[in-house]
Amino acid sequence: MLDKTFDPKAIEEKHYQDWEEAGVFACDPNSDKVPYTVMMPPPNVTGSLHIGHALNHTLQDILIRYNRMKGKDALWQPGTDHASIAVHMVLEKKLHEEGTNRFKLGRKKFLEKAWEWKEYSGNTITSQLRRLGTTPDWERERFTMDEGLSKAVLKAFVKLYEGGIIYRAERLVNWDPERQTVISDLEVIQKEQKGKMWHIKYPVEGDVEQFITVATTRPETMLGDTAVAVHPDDARYKDMVGKSVVLPITGRMIPIIADEHSDPEKGSGAVKITPAHDFNDFEVGQRHNLQMISILDEHAQLVKEDFIPKEYQGLDRYKAREKILHELEDQDLIVEVETIKNTIPVGERSGVVIEPFMTKQWFVDTPTLAKPAAQAVRDGRTRFIPQQYENMYFAWVDNQIPWCISRQLWWGHQIPAWYDKDGNVYVAENEEDAQKQAGAGVTITRDDDVLDTWFSSALWPFSTIGWPDDTAELGRYFPGDALVTGFDIITFWVSRMMMFSLYIMDDVPFKDVYIHALVRDAKGQKMSKSKGNVMDPIDLIEQYGTDAVRFTLCAMAAQGRDIRLADERLQGYRNFATKLWNASRYCEMNDCLSHDGFDPSTAQYAPNQWIIHEVKAAAQEISQAIEGYRFNEAANAVYQFVWGTFCDWYLEISKPLLAKDSKAADEVRQTTSWALHQILILLNPFMPYITEELYAGFFKKDADDRLITAAWPEYSDNLSNEAAKTEMEWLQTMVGEIRSVRADMNVPAGAKIALLIKGANAQTQSRIESHKDVICKMARLSDISLTENVPAGAVQTIVEEATLILPIADIIDLDEERKRLTKVIGKLDADIQKIDAKLGNEKFVKNAPEEVIEEQKSRKEEALAKRTKLEQAVKQLQSA
RNA sequence: GGGCGGUUAGCUCAGCGGUAGAGCACUUGCUCGACACGCAAGGGGUCACAGGUUCAAUCCCUGUACCGCCCACCA
């Protein structure tokens, strides 16, 4: 006998081990089944999983389990990402605490530590995923820096280089002066802050009285100014264009140029141009062939060069700013200091203010790659679900700027480029090939830098299944069926997989991209480690059990809406697990655990025919919802069916049938068992543990028989039975009506009443005949009989054509009953009036579809008939 | 500045051209032999606001307000 309460902890580990040992997660490249592929977004090896991962992996697991049960050869490809810069953050913080840094430690030792960390973190993540009950093909687990994927990275780099897609160039990039590396545009976030704007006078050449005022938030960069720009149409400055100004402090002469970048509306209409330290100014510099003066080094300190005044050399950028402001003030060159709100670029991970910086870096020509990537989505070869996310994708992909892929870090894929002493570049998969290119005897050294993390993850959909080798898996599982991910990495990852996949594989990487909600904290904020508002899914699992956590996430995963996780929901779905547990317990107690040889299509009794019909309907609803990625609907459908239909009605109906040892009892036992079995299957993708446990206890045939590998049900048409459904809906209305009247009239719950029915037609009479026991039990009646005479002071209610009469004048308040009846009649009148208004509207009758009009008419008929009967009831009450 | 979402019961959220839904919370009654993590019956909503389309609008269109996000800009 099962315990009264379900204890998730007692069973989860046991089943997971059993599944894994049985090898049921594995795909089979030699199988003749239809393949179904989901590529797991590889979690970063930077610690542990958060609740967003739990959602992401739960949804993928539901898809995988469902398709596996549908008889497909399911591949869920797992793995982890090396997360170059994020791991650097973790390790460098540790080193800092130990009083050292990566440069003192050296590259080799640092990488050893990184690999140690990877082992530790990777194991944490995979064990957490196991606790979530997820079923990827662990045997195939990959890591973005393992041997095979590293080979793929080299191959891809060389191919892209040879195709002219990867190139090296000197550009202005986003420099993180603390991490000492370039970062991509996407890794820069704009942070709003209170700042100051200084309006500074630049003296015009040859005229001590004349000045041009420029405004800036970064006065220190004036040391690198190489022009002042005004708008070509700006009358104020027309005469000045072509002249020069004397740059204060340095005394350098810089030209006044005309460029549309300058906005006459803003400030004085003149703007200082510092091409080496501002992205817009860089563009202006290009247009006017201006000199570029880099005044900062990689630490964001002023360089020790002659064009920087001695006393400024080596100063930190902010110290330099103060000093410059002092000096300008002394020279009376500051016109105004304005307090403004502005945004400053900050490194997403380091939090340090980013410096635009001139360096030579490697780039991917994403503007070229993006075109086919955009087209593939426009053509529908890859579709986004929900579709609205296509906008986000297009917004990004249609406005590509070259992707800087080199990083001055150590943990990652070292760039396969070698240089000779003259700076010639040799790109090859290995040093031998590079040497061959360079020629014997030429000394070559490899580029120190590594690739942006997203370079290797962009190859994930094919590198994990063998590329560049021509493996069976590659042919079979590429392109994938579904990618499940959050919208926040459409730009980082999805678009880059699309671009690389189309270039390298000449195909899209996946057919569907399902974008799920973001799990937010109580305030609706995005969870992130830096904000410290992450929720640990393992804590929730400890508290509520894995099944409840999974079910909650699934039930809340409505398309296009974010999730704010609420404790009550988790409790509710934990209760649902307990409900199922107890329903099973009921089945166990009543010997409803066997249906060998039972053919549901031969069921004779209406309640059985009905629940069989309902099982089929629920299964269809669940299947369709999963296939449409409407996870919340799938969860609600199964919840509603199990609790609202099976437990609340079918099991309750079964009680009197089983108690009486009726003719139907045996069929009820088999049907109940069958239905429970179906429920376990249908619920398994959502709640894998409790269903597997119950299955093991009740239906397991042999050691190799598991629910996880059960076939998803396909029911034949002859299981549908509309007649039984109608009949049982009538029964539910009967019971509901009586219960409702009893409660309204405060009839003691224990009082058993003899129900009289007036005006029942033949069908109703026969239905009463067959379901008398059930109705009596459920509505707490002692008997049901037909009558034509209404006893005085009886309570009456109407079900279809029949009037139900409860002769309980002695235990109720007749005034109350009169009020109740009047209220019901009032409602009917309101309904009738509404319908009359519609039917009286010529336009409605002319334009509305026939069936709508008919529906209104029949609804009116019904209401009228009911009202007539109720009015009679009121009269009879009066005469009592 | 451009774009995308959201605004529905006290709370968290579904839904969607033809009489407003769920879970939780709330009220009332239940030791009805599976389950109080339960059973039964209830109360509770001008579906943000203003216009428009339609026989009919919570749903479609336009606009407004507030909230959130994405992209860009910010001398």
Side-chain angles (χ1 to χ4, degrees):
Chain A
M1 175 70 70
L2 298 177
D3 290 338
K4 232 174 170 178
T5 333
F6 166 55
D7 177 15
K9 273 185 207 153
I11 63 154
E12 292 180 356
E13 203 181 335
K14 172 182 78 179
H15 287 299
Y16 200 89
Q17 274 178 7
D18 173 56
W19 295 331
E20 196 164 3
E21 278 162 18
V24 298
F25 305 162
C27 69
D28 178 8
N30 300 316
S31 135
D32 52 6
K33 295 174 177 175
V34 178
Y36 179 81
T37 313
V38 173
M39 288 286 162
M40 175 188 291
N44 286 349
V45 285
T46 43
S48 55
L49 299 186
H50 56 70
I51 194 76
H53 288 113
L55 169 69
N56 179 253
H57 289 100
T58 296
L59 299 182
Q60 290 178 71
D61 193 49
I62 289 168
L63 288 175
I64 283 290
R65 282 175 180 269
Y66 170 77
N67 281 287
R68 188 187 288 132
M69 290 171 103
K70 287 281 272 187
K72 291 189 184 162
D73 170 31
L75 165 60
W76 187 10
Q77 172 63 50
T80 47
D81 191 287
H82 67 282
S84 176
I85 194 166
V87 167
H88 265 264
M89 299 276 305
V90 173
L91 292 181
E92 288 183 40
K93 193 179 161 207
K94 279 190 170 174
L95 292 176
H96 183 75
E97 281 161 7
E98 291 162 14
T100 178
N101 64 42
R102 70 167 155 127
F103 299 102
K104 283 184 196 160
L105 195 68
R107 188 163 187 151
K108 192 163 168 264
K109 283 241 171 73
F110 181 85
L111 288 179
E112 279 169 18
K113 279 188 183 292
W115 278 104
E116 275 170 33
W117 168 262
K118 181 262 160 188
E119 280 312 309
Y120 162 74
S121 173
N123 290 341
T124 307
I125 289 165
T126 50
S127 75
Q128 284 180 312
L129 286 177
R130 284 179 166 88
R131 282 216 63 184
L132 243 193
T134 60
T135 61
D137 189 347
W138 288 119
E139 295 289 312
R140 306 188 48 86
E141 185 184 345
R142 303 304 296 267
F143 176 59
T144 48
M145 270 171 70
D146 68 23
E147 202 185 325
L149 270 62
S150 298
K151 187 174 145 193
V153 166
L154 293 175
K155 195 92 186 174
F157 189 96
V158 172
K159 186 178 165 81
L160 288 158
Y161 178 77
E162 285 170 355
I165 298 294
I166 283 182
Y167 58 91
R168 193 162 177 252
E170 186 159 33
R171 292 283 158 79
L172 205 51
V173 294
N174 300 296
W175 183 263
D176 183 328
E178 195 173 302
R179 296 266 81 72
Q180 296 281 296
T181 181
V182 173
I183 60 176
S184 81
D185 294 350
L186 285 174
E187 294 164 304
V188 178
I189 50 171
Q190 302 295 332
K191 210 170 160 186
E192 197 163 274
Q193 59 147 37
K194 245 190 210 166
K196 281 185 179 149
M197 174 109 76
W198 290 272
H199 298 250
I200 302 165
K201 290 193 288 190
Y202 284 6
V204 177
E205 176 199 11
D207 185 347
V208 275
E209 293 302 313
Q210 204 182 8
F211 297 94
I212 278 191
T213 303
V214 296
T216 180
T217 53
R218 299 206 57 193
E220 70 280 11
T221 63
M222 68 183 286
L223 297 176
D225 284 1
T226 51
V228 168
V230 296
H231 197 274
D233 301 334
D234 194 332
R236 291 172 295 178
Y237 299 108
K238 225 152 193 134
D239 300 341
M240 294 203 195
V241 175
K243 288 187 178 177
S244 293
V245 295
V246 183
L247 192 60
I249 297 175
T250 62
R252 199 148 46 76
M253 305 283 269
I254 57 173
I256 298 169
I257 58 169
D259 190 282
E260 302 202 335
H261 166 62
S262 174
D263 182 350
E265 304 293 314
K266 282 186 181 164
S268 63
V271 56
K272 70 196 258 319
I273 301 296
T274 324
H277 294 284
D278 181 283
F279 288 97
N280 285 312
D281 292 3
F282 179 83
E283 302 282 322
V284 177
Q286 296 266 297
R287 282 198 285 274
H288 297 268
N289 209 12
L290 296 175
Q291 200 191 346
M292 286 195 228
I293 304 180
S294 277
I295 62 159
L296 296 172
D297 65 12
E298 66 272 22
H299 298 283
Q301 291 169 351
L302 293 184
V303 290
K304 294 174 179 161
E305 299 282 352
D306 292 344
F307 53 83
I308 302 288
K310 247 293 154 327
E311 67 272 27
Y312 284 94
Q313 291 182 11
L315 273 188
D316 171 80
R317 51 185 164 170
Y318 297 114
K319 292 235 171 69
R321 177 182 299 177
E322 276 174 41
K323 195 170 165 67
I324 282 184
L325 288 169
H326 271 297
E327 198 170 338
L328 290 172
E329 215 166 312
D330 290 346
Q331 294 181 27
D332 201 21
L333 291 171
I334 296 180
V335 183
E336 190 192 347
V337 185
E338 219 183 321
T339 304
I340 55 154
K341 242 189 352 191
N342 68 339
T343 51
I344 48 166
V346 172
E348 189 186 32
R349 296 197 175 270
S350 66
V352 172
V353 177
I354 293 305
E355 203 58 59
F357 192 58
M358 285 297 298
T359 53
K360 215 163 195 186
Q361 302 290 341
W362 289 94
F363 292 86
V364 172
D365 179 11
T366 41
T368 298
L369 293 186
K371 286 186 184 90
Q375 199 53 44
V377 174
R378 291 201 164 90
D379 292 346
R381 281 188 287 157
T382 292
R383 58 182 191 135
F384 279 76
I385 301 125
Q387 203 188 351
Q388 75 219 33
Y389 285 106
E390 281 179 3
N391 293 327
M392 197 180 279
Y393 175 79
F394 289 137
W396 170 246
V397 121
D398 290 341
N399 293 291
Q400 279 292 309
I401 58 169
W403 173 23
C404 178
I405 50 169
S406 40
R407 296 289 182 274
Q408 290 62 51
L409 302 171
W410 294 341
W411 175 243
H413 297 282
Q414 193 172 352
I415 290 173
W418 283 261
Y419 309 105
D420 63 22
K421 65 180 187 352
D422 300 324
N424 294 311
V425 184
Y426 308 101
V427 169
E429 283 174 53
N430 53 54
E431 184 152 359
E432 288 76 50
D433 289 356
Q435 189 68 62
K436 264 184 224 156
Q437 289 178 31
V442 177
T443 309
I444 55 171
T445 47
R446 186 164 183 179
D447 196 316
D448 275 335
D449 293 352
V450 300
L451 290 166
D452 182 6
T453 295
W454 297 102
F455 190 93
S456 57
S457 29
L459 308 171
W460 188 255
F462 43 96
S463 65
T464 51
I465 47 177
W467 190 86
D469 297 334
D470 188 17
T471 60
E473 286 90 336
L474 193 59
R476 183 168 171 76
Y477 301 112
F478 182 91
D481 291 271
L483 179 78
V484 178
T485 189
F487 74 84
D488 49 335
I489 55 174
I490 289 176
T491 51
F492 280 113
W493 193 43
V494 178
S495 67
R496 284 157 181 176
M497 282 190 285
M498 291 291 290
M499 291 192 282
F500 276 15
S501 198
L502 283 160
Y503 187 82
I504 293 170
M505 301 294 290
D506 200 27
D507 202 349
V508 294
F510 25 71
K511 297 179 195 105
D512 290 349
V513 180
Y514 173 70
I515 301 293
H516 63 242
L518 218 58
V519 184
R520 296 180 178 276
D521 71 1
K523 292 179 220 151
Q525 285 201 312
K526 187 174 164 178
M527 291 189 190
S528 74
K529 238 168 256 160
S530 54
K531 279 184 199 149
N533 58 353
V534 290
M535 269 173 103
D536 186 352
I538 301 302
D539 287 348
L540 297 177
I541 285 174
E542 291 286 341
Q543 205 178 343
Y544 299 105
T546 297
D547 290 329
V549 171
R550 287 173 60 113
F551 203 89
T552 306
L553 291 169
C554 182
M556 298 190 76
Q559 287 186 1
R561 191 151 174 165
D562 288 341
I563 296 175
R564 279 195 219 185
L565 208 54
D567 226 29
E568 300 82 59
R569 291 297 286 264
L570 284 154
Q571 273 171 32
Y573 293 122
R574 178 212 44 200
N575 296 353
F576 176 55
T578 310
K579 185 74 182 174
L580 173 71
W581 187 257
N582 278 291
S584 305
R585 199 160 162 264
Y586 170 85
C587 295
E588 193 181 22
M589 291 166 92
N590 288 285
D591 207 17
C592 301
L593 294 177
S594 141
H595 55 281
D596 281 344
F598 173 66
D599 176 0
S601 69
T602 62
Q604 296 297 306
Y605 295 90
N608 298 334
Q609 292 172 337
W610 165 73
I611 198 66
I612 290 162
H613 174 102
E614 293 296 309
V615 164
K616 184 185 170 189
Q620 276 172 344
E621 206 181 336
I622 295 161
S623 302
Q624 280 166 16
I626 295 176
E627 280 169 31
Y629 301 97
R630 298 185 309 271
F631 294 99
N632 60 320
E633 284 182 27
N636 288 334
V638 69
Y639 180 95
Q640 178 52 42
F641 173 70
V642 171
W643 200 318
T645 304
F646 183 69
C647 292
D648 285 350
W649 285 102
Y650 183 70
L651 290 186
E652 292 305 321
I653 289 168
S654 78
K655 284 176 186 175
L657 299 177
L658 291 173
K660 219 183 159 190
D661 202 23
S662 64
K663 275 198 296 177
D666 190 49
E667 193 184 278
V668 168
R669 287 204 175 83
Q670 302 217 53
T671 307
T672 307
S673 171
W674 178 84
L676 177 65
H677 187 176
Q678 305 308 302
I679 284 170
L680 296 180
I681 299 172
L682 296 174
L683 195 51
N684 179 259
F686 308 90
M687 295 187 147
Y689 287 121
I690 186 175
T691 50
E692 191 75 71
E693 172 72 8
L694 291 170
Y695 183 80
F698 298 160
F699 301 118
K700 194 177 171 88
K701 290 197 179 72
D702 54 59
D704 288 331
D705 184 24
R706 293 177 186 84
L707 199 54
I708 191 172
T709 50
W712 188 260
E714 301 272 355
Y715 303 112
S716 62
D717 288 342
N718 59 10
L719 294 195
S720 294
N721 193 325
E722 291 296 334
K725 183 178 155 82
T726 313
E727 184 167 338
M728 297 313 287
E729 279 170 358
W730 167 86
L731 182 141
Q732 291 179 20
T733 312
M734 286 284 290
V735 171
E737 200 60 37
I738 300 165
R739 281 172 170 174
S740 174
V741 170
R742 290 179 61 126
D744 277 356
M745 291 290 95
N746 295 314
V747 177
K752 296 224 168 183
I753 296 156
L755 178 72
L756 300 171
I757 299 185
K758 188 183 141 192
N761 63 22
Q763 186 185 47
T764 301
Q765 289 185 26
S766 113
R767 281 172 173 177
I768 289 166
E769 191 60 33
S770 21
H771 302 298
K772 199 169 183 176
D773 289 346
V774 171
I775 298 169
C776 284
K777 175 87 193 309
M778 296 186 80
R780 320 219 77 196
L781 304 172
S782 59
D783 193 19
I784 305 174
S785 49
L786 301 173
T787 185
E788 286 309 318
N789 306 311
V790 181
V795 171
Q796 300 183 46
T797 185
I798 318 295
V799 173
E800 295 176 10
E801 87 292 353
T803 306
L804 312 188
I805 302 151
L806 293 167
I808 45 173
D810 44 336
I811 48 175
I812 59 145
D813 182 335
L814 293 183
D815 273 342
E816 282 302 314
E817 171 63 355
R818 202 169 292 120
K819 273 188 209 157
R820 186 184 72 85
L821 288 171
T822 314
K823 202 173 139 195
V824 177
I825 291 169
K827 262 189 189 165
L828 285 173
D829 278 338
D831 278 357
I832 291 164
Q833 257 179 31
K834 256 194 208 163
I835 297 168
D836 277 342
K838 276 191 181 176
L839 290 173
N841 184 344
E842 261 179 60
K843 285 180 182 171
F844 173 75
V845 180
K846 213 165 75 187
N847 293 310
E850 194 60 31
E851 69 250 32
V852 173
I853 296 171
E854 283 311 310
E855 196 196 326
Q856 295 292 326
K857 279 185 182 165
S858 68
R859 199 190 289 163
K860 183 183 167 182
E861 290 301 311
E862 240 173 77
L864 282 173
K866 202 166 172 185
R867 190 177 65 177
T868 311
K869 295 199 179 85
L870 288 173
E871 274 165 352
Q872 268 173 32
V874 173
K875 264 186 217 153
Q876 277 155 355
L877 214 52
Q878 236 97 40
S879 63

